[in-house]
Amino acid sequence: MRAFGARLAARLRAGDLLVLSGPLGAGKTTLVQGIAEGLKVRGPITSPTFVIARVHPSLRQGPPLVHADAYRLGGDLEVDDLDLDASLEESVTVVEWGEGLVEGLAEDRLEIHIDREAGDEARLVTVRGVGARWADTPSDPLED
């Protein structure tokens, strides 16, 4: 998941929203760690479950990473309280457990669902691009 995240980061730019879903332990935070490595942002990247959201500034001239966790949020009003839309245009924003809660933040987004396959190591990742930003992206956004 970390290597996939690092490769995905090469395609990301300021204003991108990624919505991650999948069961506990599927690898959502590990994916974000890879994205952070690829974006070259300040870490460490840990699960933001209790902090809800963290901003990781760039260590070079790239966009910061906003890493949020909607697991404990009760609905749209609590999502609004995070003010994710305030930094959306200048950041890469990744929201774990955001399915059904944060899609309204941006017309363009990547929806990434992670499932665990048999055993602890294998993962099945489904990536769905939404909006004009991802319209010309193949079903695998890492293909050229």
Side-chain angles (χ1 to χ4, degrees):
M1 292 309 303
R2 192 179 303 253
F4 175 71
R7 288 192 322 271
L8 179 59
R11 299 290 180 117
L12 300 176
R13 63 183 188 216
D16 284 343
L17 172 65
L18 285 74
V19 182
L20 308 184
S21 62
L24 283 170
K28 293 179 292 296
T29 300
T30 303
L31 175 64
V32 179
Q33 290 169 342
I35 291 169
E37 288 172 14
L39 291 175
K40 305 291 188 234
V41 298
R42 187 172 51 205
I45 307 300
T46 59
S47 179
T49 300
F50 296 103
V51 175
I52 308 296
R54 289 190 178 99
V55 177
H56 299 276
S58 178
L59 296 172
R60 53 185 178 124
Q61 298 303 317
L65 171 67
V66 175
H67 180 204
D69 188 325
Y71 183 74
R72 297 189 182 279
L73 299 182
D76 292 341
L77 290 177
E78 290 184 14
V79 170
D80 286 344
D81 288 343
L82 291 178
D83 284 332
L84 293 174
D85 54 342
S87 61
L88 194 63
E89 290 303 314
E90 65 266 3
S91 302
V92 171
T93 303
V94 181
V95 183
E96 296 186 39
W97 301 98
E99 187 176 39
L101 292 171
V102 300
E103 290 87 352
L105 291 174
E107 291 181 20
D108 302 315
R109 64 187 174 276
L110 276 182
E111 297 173 349
I112 302 174
H113 183 80
I114 307 167
D115 272 319
R116 286 164 45 200
E117 292 286 304
D120 283 341
E121 298 301 317
R123 301 292 191 262
L124 175 62
V125 180
T126 306
V127 179
R128 179 177 174 255
V130 176
R133 160 80 168 100
W134 302 104
D136 295 332
T137 302
S139 59
D140 178 352
L142 303 180
E143 291 179 0
D144 286 321

